[in-house]
Amino acid sequence: MLSVRRSAGAFVAVAIGVALVTAATLLLASGRPQVPDRLARAAVVVQSPEAGRADSFAPTRPWSAARATELAGRLAGLPGVAAAIPDRTFYAQPLVDGRPPASDGQREDAHQGHGWSSARLGGLRLTAGEPPRRPGEVVVDRALGLRPGTPVTLLTAAGPEPYTVTGLLDAPGVHVADDVAATLAPGVRAIGLMLAAGADPERVGAEARGVVGGDGRVLTGDRRGALEPRGDARTRWIGMQVLTATAALAGFVTVFVAASTFAFTVAQRRRELGLLRAVGATPRQIRRMVHREALTVGGAAGLAGLLVGAALTPALGRVLVDVGLEPATFRVRYVLWPLAASLAVGPVVALLAGWSAARRAARIPPLEALREAAVEQRPIGRLRVAAGALLLATGAALSLGTATSDDARDGATYALYAVMALVTGSTVLAPAIVGPAVRLLRSPVRRRGGAIGLLVRAGALTATRRTASTAAPVLLTVAFAVLVSGMVLTTTAAYTAGRADNVNAGWIIAPDRAPGLSDRAVAATGGTALLPTTVFVTEPEPSTGIRPLNALGVDPAGFAEANRVLDVVAGSLDDLRGDDTVALTASAAPAPGLPPEPYPVVFADGERVPLRVVAVVTDISVPGDLLLPRAVVRAYDPSALTSTVYVRDRVDPPLGARIIDVPAWAAEADRAEDRLVWLCTLLLIGVSAGYGAIAVANTLLLAAAGRAADLRLIRLAGATRRQVLWLVTAESALVVLIGAVLGGAVAFAGLLSIRAGLAEQVGATVDLVVPWPVIGAVVGLCLLLAVLASVLPTWRLLRHRPARSAVGIVAG
Amino acid sequence: MTTDTVTLTGLRAVYGTGTRRVTALDGVTTSFASGTFTAVMGPSGSGKSTLLHCAAGLDRPAEGTVTIDGTSLNDLGEDALTRLRRDRIGFVFQAFNLVSTLTAAQNVELPLRLAGRRPPARDVEAALDAVGLADRARHRPSELSGGEQQRVAVARALITRPVVVFADEPTGALDSAASRQVLRLLRGLVDDHGQTVVMVTHDPAAAAYADRVLLLADGRLADELTGGITAAVVAARIAERDTDPTGISRPAADAAVEPSC
Ligand SMILES: Nc1ncnc2c1ncn2[C@@H]1O[C@H](COP(=O)(O)OP(=O)(O)O)[C@@H](O)[C@H]1O
Ligand SMILES: [Mg+2]
């Protein structure tokens, strides 16, 4: 009973779906945290306590120098431990030819400095020269091309400092004497344990846990992957979200496309299935037959998809690394479970997709075999109209929710649900909408198209259901693409505009090929600087977790002047001076109003300092959680770097910096993140558009077989081959057009409400950004496949003489 | 051989509701004795097809009972009814008798396969041979002429040995030579295998192959002929009814050329 041609659409859909799922799950399983090379020789590493939720990617809360020394001493005394080495990390960037090397922008570890003893943790050996012993001595990466004995300028948080190269290593970053490292980075976040020969890391780890208690985590084996750079962890997490979304979307859309294929084949075979029922097939046998067909298609397609997906995974992995969705340390590993799971996906998806088709097939009465007409024109049911209207109403209500919500996340969620409701509703109502839509196009087509126009219109009108089922995937695809891409672009533009609006400055100095600006660079500009650092507070009972907060070191007067949205709720920013004051945002404050009791925070050097709260400001006033006097940040975080300097007039940028205007700065502030979001958006649109196009092509391909008799009659009536080809081209173009217009209309309704919601939020007018290239590409793809899918089978049909029957159902 | 294979009692069939209500069968009681060939005739729309569908369990009557081989169809669920159809009833329709994706041989063995049995290849061959299509076993329906397709359908009725074969205008779409072949095969089912055949037809010449002719008008049994049936007798009887003021006032010529429904 199985016909290859009938199930081709389902086969392709399932195969692509399984290939995507295979690749995504393989990549997901491969994306495990890597133990940094720098610490690879330390079999046991003790890490300072985690702060915040796992997906906040905040640094851990450091130990103070004294606490680290004490811990290291006690850990070194454990049996099996040869040495316990505190690992310090600080900002230090060697200059080549007077500026930071270009390649340093990407790699976090290229501009990190460590104490010399840390080199032991990675088993690093000097390739030339001596270790650093005194201040002013440094060991650098061999790749820089410097020789021992030559001078080098190191850019540190204070500014450019003269050093002398004493040795070379085959590893990124610089190493200085341990005493120097201790002044640049007093706080310690990891203590590496070098084990004596033959010592068991797990046993040493257990003993270390007894020493550390709750003040840190003991990591052994692969769990040391937790020490990977936070940036890598964040990149991997984003990649994971994208892969999960892709796999889920692929699975969902596969079921959708395959289900419509199966439903269509069943509808086309009503007479045949009726005949089977007449000659003795029970409803169960019919159902099982459709299930078996689905299973066969799903199994075969699943296997094909698995092989293709597994073969493509390494290439996809490289692409992910290139676009920044996976860290550079990413390697594809062929793990069993993703392959086994993906193998099951094909049959499961096919069974799900075939389920309703099988039920419908089993309900076909035996008398169906005797029906005269091949296609019955069923009007749209009342229940269907009701369901569609309900969905549209829900969508409209949710759009209103989007427009009036003032929280960004709520708004986006509402918007997505609104569009899902609107899209589903218009798909359900499509048969009812297609008629009027075709009639709207009536007058131009009639005048221009002559006989072809007449046939096209009549065909679309009488086969409303066929037209609707072809237009539905176009509608869905276009609505999804327009809405999601428009939403992302409009939101980005709105936030950029809002950010630029908040700043009262002429120009902005930003770092160039460096993670931040040094103090000397800031002094040279004479502007108002932001000096960010992370501080840690203990959350109030009962959670007692450690909460990381973004603190900004500022000069209060200059900051107030450069900030247009500053809103002080309690106290005064003028009091933000001395060495123990802080201004909190409302959400960081323990209670409304100025708290009378001290506010203790732990700084980057691991010291706990009780601060006096002198002011409380609204959350949107500052791009962070709290404000500190600049000097306080510098005192407790010697390696903190300035992120931004506001200046009134254009000045020459100092070393490692560049000057940009406010709109440009606002646009690039989140650029890396925006780029990733845009990439994900395109990926998701690509997946859905591909499937939409497959669905359109598939429906048309199947319909073409059913139309063979019709077209033969038209040929016999005197139409030339060219006229018939024009007819089918015009027909499929019309269908795609209807779907695109309806989908676009739904999406624009959603976008308008999103814009209203955003305007409310950022307090500025928001421009609607419409991604025309994306829309053009999606509609073009659907159009191309639709025309191909209807013209190719027709062309094959036309090669035969019109009188010769090409289908077996028509009895001679 | 005096037992009745099929018994119909007080059959009523109704289509549609309200003003569009059509009574297709209006109290039909009759029976078909085993080993006989009955032709059902009547003007278009008189309920012939409906009668056949109800008798064969393809459709359920609004009232009345159908008994086949001693089993009342009214008491059967959908599955039991399907099994009964598979095991004891054969069909030949005017057109579209065969599954287009299966070969002639596969079509012939289909009912047995559906019943979970696999007929020996020589049985299938024999059945096809009996209808003169032994050499076309591996052809698909699209490669067979209409007459050949009908003969495959008859072969299908041969191989399952159903007690009764229903045929709805089996020769309606065939030329006279092909018609004769199919009718002879149906006659052979009765004479050689003792099966029962009930056939709807418009053609008095086809009716001449039957032992008995039932005339239907407006959903009621209007007349019956037994013995000495020839095309001329049947045609005369139909013409007679048309001039009879109590009979249905539809010209016979019209009924004869009108296509089936
Ligand atoms: N599915 C149906 N729906 C509505 N009316 C029907 C249907 N099938 C048959 N009829 C009506 O029932 C009557 C008898 O039909 P039928 O048994 O097919 O007549 P015959 O086969 O004698 O030409 C006709 O009036 C026909 O219009
Ligand atoms: Mg009929």
Side-chain angles (χ1 to χ4, degrees):
Chain A
M1 283 307 305
L2 195 73
S3 155
V4 176
R5 179 130 69 95
R6 271 179 193 143
S7 317
F11 182 92
V12 172
V14 173
I16 294 181
V18 171
L20 279 175
V21 169
T22 306
T25 45
L26 267 178
L27 291 170
L28 269 179
S30 304
R32 290 227 211 112
Q34 302 275 327
V35 184
D37 289 346
R38 223 167 57 66
L39 304 172
R41 290 295 176 86
V44 180
V45 180
V46 185
Q47 190 187 28
S48 65
E50 284 281 323
R53 286 201 320 270
D55 60 3
S56 68
F57 307 106
T60 57
R61 188 193 70 189
W63 296 299
S64 66
R67 171 73 176 147
T69 310
E70 182 217 334
L71 269 179
R74 284 169 59 196
L75 289 166
L78 291 176
V81 176
I85 302 169
D87 178 57
R88 292 188 152 89
T89 300
F90 50 89
Y91 167 66
Q93 194 170 13
L95 299 185
V96 174
D97 301 329
R99 16 182 355 197
S103 60
D104 278 14
Q106 295 294 316
R107 299 207 53 169
E108 206 171 329
D109 49 8
H111 42 66
Q112 284 181 343
H114 312 282
W116 172 246
S117 55
S118 291
R120 255 183 95 186
L121 298 174
L124 302 179
R125 297 239 182 287
L126 285 173
T127 58
E130 307 258 303
R133 297 209 173 80
R134 283 170 293 276
E137 291 184 353
V138 66
V139 167
V140 299
D141 186 357
R142 197 169 62 150
L144 292 181
L146 298 169
R147 260 174 299 129
T150 52
V152 63
T153 305
L154 278 195
L155 205 50
T156 65
E161 306 276 357
Y163 275 78
T164 306
V165 177
T166 58
L168 300 178
L169 276 179
D170 200 5
V174 301
H175 289 79
V176 298
D178 283 339
D179 295 346
V180 179
T183 58
L184 287 171
V188 173
R189 292 200 158 95
I191 299 173
L193 306 187
M194 304 299 291
L195 302 197
D200 173 21
E202 293 307 323
R203 180 172 304 163
V204 173
E207 300 222 22
R209 248 165 235 128
V211 171
V212 177
D215 196 17
R217 293 199 301 167
V218 178
L219 306 170
T220 55
D222 282 345
R223 296 194 55 220
R224 291 174 301 159
L227 297 159
E228 72 178 331
R230 295 284 139 158
D232 284 6
R234 196 161 160 280
T235 306
R236 232 194 29 246
W237 183 81
I238 294 173
M240 211 157 90
Q241 306 293 312
V242 176
L243 291 174
T244 316
T246 309
L249 185 72
F252 174 77
V253 184
T254 306
V255 172
F256 177 82
V257 172
S260 67
T261 311
F262 288 136
F264 206 90
T265 51
V266 164
Q268 275 204 324
R269 289 156 65 191
R270 284 185 79 81
R271 289 186 79 180
E272 199 157 300
L273 293 169
L275 180 64
L276 281 175
R277 290 278 288 115
V279 299
T282 60
R284 251 189 71 190
Q285 282 179 313
I286 298 281
R287 202 166 42 229
R288 282 225 311 266
M289 187 186 85
V290 178
H291 279 322
R292 208 167 25 235
E293 227 177 279
L295 263 185
T296 313
V297 171
L303 204 63
L306 185 81
L307 294 177
V308 171
L312 287 182
T313 305
L316 283 177
R318 278 194 294 278
V319 171
L320 286 186
V321 172
D322 285 346
V323 301
L325 286 174
E326 289 288 352
T329 51
F330 182 79
R331 293 283 168 280
V332 171
R333 290 177 305 163
Y334 285 96
V335 190
L336 190 64
W337 75 258
L339 294 174
S342 305
L343 194 60
V345 166
V348 168
V349 158
L351 267 191
L352 276 178
W355 183 75
S356 89
R359 268 173 46 112
R360 215 169 311 147
R363 277 206 302 266
I364 293 175
L367 267 184
E368 197 70 39
L370 305 177
R371 293 254 185 273
E372 285 301 310
V375 186
E376 238 183 313
Q377 195 67 53
R378 274 173 303 168
I380 179 165
R382 224 178 285 161
L383 200 70
R384 190 164 173 163
V385 172
L390 197 70
L391 281 165
L392 286 186
T394 313
L398 284 168
S399 303
L400 218 66
T402 314
T404 49
S405 84
D406 35 42
D407 181 41
R409 291 200 188 177
D410 282 358
T413 314
Y414 276 145
L416 268 184
Y417 286 136
V419 165
M420 278 159 92
L422 287 176
V423 166
T424 323
S426 39
T427 311
V428 167
L429 286 180
I433 307 173
V434 164
V438 173
R439 261 178 233 115
L440 264 182
L441 292 167
R442 186 183 199 144
S443 22
V445 174
R446 178 194 277 165
R447 251 177 243 129
R448 294 261 197 80
I452 300 297
L454 176 81
L455 284 168
V456 169
R457 203 173 59 245
L461 274 178
T462 46
T464 325
R465 258 172 190 271
R466 190 185 68 208
T467 313
S469 66
T470 318
V474 182
L475 189 158
L476 228 103
T477 310
V478 171
F480 183 81
V482 172
L483 187 94
V484 173
S485 58
M487 185 168 83
V488 167
L489 290 184
T490 303
T491 310
T492 308
Y495 285 141
T496 301
R499 204 180 290 122
D501 241 28
N502 292 350
V503 171
N504 178 26
W507 297 84
I508 284 174
I509 314 269
D512 183 29
R513 292 182 181 181
L517 300 169
S518 67
D519 283 351
R520 224 161 299 155
V522 171
T525 64
T528 300
L530 301 184
L531 184 64
T533 185
T534 306
V535 300
F536 304 86
V537 297
T538 305
E539 294 203 48
E541 303 285 344
S543 90
T544 69
I546 302 168
R547 183 172 166 203
L549 294 175
N550 294 318
L552 291 175
V554 297
D555 148 42
F559 180 75
E561 198 188 331
N563 189 332
R564 283 212 181 94
V565 285
L566 188 61
D567 186 4
V568 181
V569 184
S572 166
L573 268 195
D574 294 341
D575 299 331
L576 192 66
R577 49 193 141 83
D579 53 9
D580 65 341
T581 58
V582 63
L584 300 180
T585 54
S587 58
L594 273 190
E597 66 272 17
Y599 188 80
V601 306
V602 173
F603 280 100
D605 63 357
E607 300 297 340
R608 170 182 294 265
V609 181
L611 298 172
R612 261 184 320 119
V613 182
V614 296
V616 175
V617 298
T618 56
D619 282 354
I620 61 157
S621 294
V622 288
D625 299 307
L626 44 87
L627 294 175
L628 295 164
R630 184 177 169 88
V632 172
V633 173
R634 178 51 74 222
Y636 295 105
D637 187 354
S639 283
L641 290 169
T642 297
S643 61
T644 317
V645 184
Y646 305 126
V647 292
R648 183 146 304 285
D649 303 307
R650 189 172 184 131
V651 295
D652 278 338
L655 187 66
R658 72 214 152 91
I659 186 158
I660 45 178
D661 61 11
V662 173
W665 165 81
E668 74 177 32
D670 268 342
R671 193 164 58 186
E673 194 141 337
D674 292 345
R675 188 178 137 266
L676 286 185
V677 170
W678 184 236
L679 271 172
C680 307
T681 310
L682 287 183
L683 185 68
L684 294 184
I685 290 176
V687 170
S688 75
Y691 271 106
I694 293 174
V696 174
N698 185 37
T699 326
L700 285 172
L701 213 58
L702 292 172
R707 296 211 57 207
D710 240 16
L711 294 179
R712 203 174 308 116
L713 277 178
I714 293 172
R715 274 280 278 153
L716 286 172
T720 63
R721 287 181 192 206
R722 182 195 286 251
Q723 276 177 314
V724 173
L725 286 179
W726 261 119
L727 171 67
V728 292
T729 307
E731 263 180 358
S732 40
L734 176 70
V735 168
V736 170
L737 206 72
I738 291 174
V741 168
L742 290 180
V746 169
F748 268 104
L751 278 182
L752 285 178
S753 60
I754 290 171
R755 180 175 74 157
L758 276 172
E760 187 121 322
Q761 229 181 86
V762 297
T765 54
V766 173
D767 291 330
L768 198 61
V769 187
V770 183
W772 292 112
V774 174
I775 300 173
V778 168
V779 175
L781 180 69
C782 289
L783 201 60
L784 180 74
L785 277 187
V787 168
L788 279 182
S790 45
V791 165
L792 283 183
T794 309
W795 182 73
R796 277 185 45 176
L797 201 77
L798 290 178
R799 284 188 315 184
H800 302 292
R801 291 280 181 75
R804 183 81 198 127
S805 160
V807 271
I809 302 172
V810 183
Chain B
M1 282 231 185
T2 48
T3 48
D4 288 335
T5 302
V6 182
T7 315
L8 313 176
T9 322
L11 275 197
R12 272 174 54 80
V14 182
Y15 290 112
T17 50
T19 52
R20 300 179 57 190
R21 193 180 168 91
V22 177
T23 304
L25 289 179
D26 196 4
V28 173
T29 302
T30 187
S31 59
F32 306 106
S34 70
T36 62
F37 190 153
T38 307
V40 181
M41 301 189 71
S44 183
S46 57
K48 307 180 297 289
S49 295
T50 308
L51 179 79
L52 214 67
H53 296 160
C54 290
L58 289 172
D59 210 351
R60 286 183 190 266
E63 272 174 43
T65 56
V66 177
T67 311
I68 288 186
D69 217 16
T71 312
S72 167
L73 301 194
N74 295 45
D75 310 335
L76 299 181
E78 188 55 43
D79 279 349
L81 188 62
T82 303
R83 273 194 294 279
L84 179 126
R85 237 176 10 233
R86 186 162 72 198
D87 298 339
R88 296 192 223 170
I89 302 175
F91 296 95
V92 182
F93 303 121
Q94 177 177 346
F96 196 66
N97 272 298
L98 307 178
V99 177
S100 60
T101 48
L102 300 183
T103 63
Q106 287 168 330
N107 264 292
V108 168
E109 61 178 32
L110 184 60
L112 287 175
R113 298 282 296 259
L114 284 170
R117 277 173 283 156
R118 197 190 180 103
R122 65 190 143 74
D123 285 12
V124 180
E125 267 167 44
L128 279 169
D129 195 34
V131 299
L133 290 172
D135 51 336
R136 314 299 296 271
R138 303 174 133 262
H139 289 218
R140 287 182 203 283
S142 56
E143 298 156 341
L144 299 174
S145 76
E148 287 165 339
Q149 290 186 30
Q150 296 301 77
R151 279 146 65 198
V152 173
V154 176
R156 186 175 63 201
L158 262 170
I159 198 171
T160 44
R161 300 249 169 269
V163 292
V164 54
V165 173
F166 293 100
D168 194 349
E169 305 194 34
T171 59
L174 305 182
D175 61 32
S176 54
S179 294
R180 272 198 302 278
Q181 270 183 317
V182 170
L183 289 165
R184 246 183 257 128
L185 284 170
L186 289 176
R187 185 72 236 176
L189 292 182
V190 177
D191 293 343
D192 305 340
H193 303 284
Q195 287 167 274
T196 309
V197 174
V198 181
M199 172 182 77
V200 168
T201 183
H202 274 114
D203 179 8
Y209 283 78
D211 307 315
R212 176 180 168 228
V213 176
L214 291 181
L215 283 177
L216 228 55
D218 267 349
R220 294 201 191 91
L221 270 186
D223 207 345
E224 180 174 346
L225 276 105
T226 44
I229 296 170
T230 62
V233 171
V234 174
R237 184 65 72 95
I238 291 172
E240 190 180 311
R241 284 198 53 77
D242 286 334
T243 50
D244 180 355
T246 58
I248 184 148
S249 55
R250 200 181 268 245
D254 198 25
V257 296
E258 215 171 312
S260 70
C261 31

